[in-house]
């Protein structure tokens, strides 16, 4: 069978690579062509376009690169048509993938969407377009199944692929240049310059009161070490690049900028504080558009606040110190760790990639 997979981001490359390995186990004659990265290539796919060539974020950047984006869409359609896959698999990345889904449906190509766009957060009306253009929707968050029932659409919950990633981790390895004399508190300030410059100074100011801990910044793989040098002036502050999971395996607690990292931190069993601060205008706009009670996936899955969210005006050095102190010992920490166990259970346990591959292979064979 022939499979065409489109992932437009680093996370899609990771989850796509695990999916491809499972497809190749279940379909020995599988031929996989994809948009993705090195991980999908290593898993056995032919990569025709790298995701780094697709990363245009923000209104202005999209406008400036509109001809490139439209060219990519045209190239993608032509490449799919020439390849004639038995099934087209789309991984998140809605701005691009939803356009391709609409076109593919019109061509009579079977479409499976793996990892739903987060339309439950905003632009919920896109559910109608997804139902129209997608033959099978595979979701990774349990509440998404209920959400799509609003559209009279039965979707498949396959579990969360991050559980597979966490489960296959071996023993942690030593962190370069980080002494082992004190316990570690991880700082995950995000990967974008703007969010790092907003969040990291506050995190480090709070760290000043905890001299008996080493604070280790999880540097983004795309960053040079020199970028973080101004932030490591205190003797108990260090940085490691591209080793977030290894760092979390060895951390006592964490301060985390909102995003997927908040869920990864919870799945590694590290008590955390979730941090977010944007520009006042952006925050007010987002507050009116976004239709969710929480910003962290752990709280959204549990439908209650199991980790503290310090958002906008609540994100102060004083509040960070207070919350970090509560994380380090006592009943607050114990309760959070208990809630993490329930969180893993709600996410469906390991096997998301295998579950998704089973459905995709069956769809390809129909």
């Amino acid at each position: 069978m022939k499979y065409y997979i489109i992932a437009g981001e680093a996370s899609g490359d990771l989850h796509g690579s695990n999916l491809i390995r499972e497809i190749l186990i279940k379909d020995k004659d599988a031929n996989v062509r994809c948009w993705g990265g090195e991980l999908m290539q290593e898993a056995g796919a032919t990569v025709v376009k790298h995701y780094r060539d697709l990363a245009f974020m923000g209104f202005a950047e999209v406008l400036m690169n509109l001809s490139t984006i439209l060219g990519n869409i045209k190239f993608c359609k032509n490449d799919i048509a020439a390849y004639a896959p038995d099934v087209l698999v789309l991984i998140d990345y809605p701005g691009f993938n939803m356009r391709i889904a609409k076109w593919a449906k019109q061509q009579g190509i079977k479409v499976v969407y793996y990892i739903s766009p987060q339309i439950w957060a905003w632009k919920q009306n896109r559910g109608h377009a997804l139902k129209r253009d997608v033959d099978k929707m595979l979701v990774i968050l349990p509440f998404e199944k209920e959400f799509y029932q609003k559209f009279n659409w039965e979707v498949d919950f396959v579990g969360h692929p991050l559980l597979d990633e966490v489960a296959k981790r071996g023993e942690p390895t030593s962190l370069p240049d980080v002494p082992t004399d004190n316990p570690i508190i991880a700082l995950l300030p995000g990967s974008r310059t703007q969010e790092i410059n907003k969040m990291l100074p506050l995190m480090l100011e709070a760290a000043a009161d905890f001299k008996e801990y080493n604070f280790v910044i999880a540097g983004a793989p795309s960053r040079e070490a020199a970028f973080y040098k101004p932030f490591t002036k205190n003797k108990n502050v260090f940085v490691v690049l591209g080793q977030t999971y290894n760092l979390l395996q060895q951390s006592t607690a964490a301060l985390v900028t909102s995003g997927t990292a908040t869920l990864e931190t919870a799945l590694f069993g590290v008590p955390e504080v979730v941090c977010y601060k944007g520009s006042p205008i952006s925050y007010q706009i987002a507050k009116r558009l976004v239709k969710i009670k929480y910003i962290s996936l752990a709280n959204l899955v549990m439908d209650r606040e199991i980790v503290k969210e310090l958002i906008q005006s609540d994100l102060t050095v004083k509040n960070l110190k207070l919350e970090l102190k509560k994380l380090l010992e006592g009943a607050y920490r114990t309760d959070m760790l208990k809630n993490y166990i329930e969180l893993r259970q709600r996410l469906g346990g390991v096997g998301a990639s295998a579950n998704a591959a089973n459905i995709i292979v069956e769809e390809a064979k129909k």
Side-chain angles (χ1 to χ4, degrees):
M1 293 292 170
K2 293 162 75 175
Y3 303 81
Y4 199 106
I5 304 176
I6 302 176
E9 298 159 310
S11 60
D13 184 36
L14 171 64
H15 300 319
S17 67
N18 291 327
L19 178 66
I20 289 164
R21 287 189 182 91
E22 293 294 338
I23 287 173
L24 291 171
I25 290 170
K26 295 166 200 335
D27 180 358
K28 304 296 183 187
D29 299 319
N31 188 301
V32 184
R33 189 170 178 85
C34 73
W35 292 41
E38 287 79 8
L39 296 178
M40 292 172 80
Q41 187 171 337
E42 288 166 12
T46 299
V47 178
V48 292
K49 183 77 77 168
H50 199 286
Y51 67 79
R52 64 170 166 256
D53 300 325
L54 311 173
F56 302 113
M57 298 190 68
F59 185 70
E61 190 178 11
V62 167
L63 278 180
M64 286 165 51
N65 293 281
L66 193 56
S67 62
T68 302
I69 293 168
L70 294 174
N72 282 337
I73 291 170
K74 183 180 179 181
F75 171 81
C76 185
K77 290 176 181 177
N78 290 338
D79 196 55
I80 293 170
Y83 182 64
D86 295 291
V87 64
L88 170 65
V89 181
L90 308 173
I91 300 178
D92 199 2
Y93 197 55
F96 188 92
N97 275 340
M98 285 185 67
R99 290 185 183 212
I100 298 298
K102 183 179 180 180
W103 168 85
K105 186 71 171 181
Q106 292 167 350
Q107 309 308 307
I109 298 169
K110 188 165 290 185
V111 180
V112 176
Y113 215 124
Y114 174 49
I115 305 180
S116 165
Q118 295 181 351
I119 65 168
W120 36 265
W122 71 312
K123 292 189 178 179
Q124 294 190 0
N125 62 338
R126 288 186 294 179
H128 296 292
L130 285 166
K131 183 184 177 184
R132 179 194 68 211
D133 300 330
V134 173
D135 296 290
K136 273 281 185 183
M137 173 66 79
L138 312 182
V139 301
I140 64 171
L141 297 168
F143 61 80
E144 291 177 321
K145 190 171 174 66
E146 183 182 346
F147 169 79
Y148 278 112
Q149 287 173 356
K150 293 180 185 179
F151 301 93
N152 196 27
W153 191 15
E154 195 63 34
V155 303
D156 293 90
F157 171 59
V158 294
H160 204 295
L162 278 178
L163 286 165
D164 295 349
E165 282 300 302
V166 172
K168 70 184 184 185
R169 295 290 298 182
E171 288 296 311
T173 58
S174 60
L175 297 164
D177 303 319
V178 179
T180 56
D181 54 343
N182 291 324
I184 289 171
I185 294 173
L187 304 180
L188 279 64
S191 58
R192 296 178 193 140
T193 302
Q194 190 176 352
E195 63 188 7
I196 293 170
N197 288 336
K198 261 192 189 305
M199 250 64 75
L200 193 49
L202 291 170
M203 292 176 176
L204 291 172
E205 201 174 334
D209 275 12
F210 299 85
K211 293 185 170 32
E212 67 276 27
Y213 291 87
N214 288 330
F215 287 80
V216 182
I217 302 165
S222 56
R223 297 281 180 185
E224 299 289 333
F227 173 81
Y228 294 97
K229 195 167 184 183
F231 299 107
T232 57
K233 291 176 181 175
N234 292 345
K235 64 179 183 178
N236 67 329
V237 177
F238 308 89
V239 62
V240 293
L241 297 175
Q243 295 199 51
T244 302
Y245 284 7
N246 189 27
L247 169 60
L248 287 173
Q249 284 180 280
Q250 303 174 60
S251 297
T252 301
L255 307 181
V256 189
T257 295
S258 66
T260 306
T262 62
L263 183 59
E264 291 170 320
T265 302
L267 294 180
F268 275 103
V270 182
E272 66 180 309
V273 181
V274 176
C275 311
Y276 177 77
K277 182 174 280 194
S279 72
I281 294 174
S282 296
Y283 176 69
Q284 289 303 323
I285 292 171
K287 198 174 177 183
R288 284 157 175 76
L289 290 175
V290 174
K291 299 177 172 19
I292 50 176
K293 290 190 285 186
Y294 306 106
I295 64 169
S296 64
L297 284 170
N299 290 340
L300 284 167
V301 170
M302 297 292 283
D303 198 26
R304 65 179 192 271
E305 190 177 71
I306 66 165
V307 297
K308 184 67 176 177
E309 298 181 351
L310 295 178
I311 306 170
Q312 209 62 12
S313 59
D314 288 335
L315 183 58
T316 64
V317 173
K318 180 182 177 183
N319 285 343
L320 273 174
K321 287 178 181 178
L322 180 67
E323 291 301 323
L324 183 53
K325 188 174 182 182
K326 285 161 63 179
L327 286 183
L328 294 173
E329 57 186 28
Y332 184 82
R333 177 184 176 89
T334 304
D335 287 345
M336 192 177 292
L337 292 173
K338 284 180 183 175
N339 283 324
Y340 283 173
I341 295 170
E342 186 182 342
L343 172 67
R344 291 189 197 97
Q345 291 169 344
R346 288 203 187 187
L347 286 171
V350 297
S353 302
N355 294 338
N358 279 332
I359 295 169
I360 290 165
V361 170
E362 285 304 309
E363 286 298 308
K365 288 178 179 177
K366 281 181 182 177

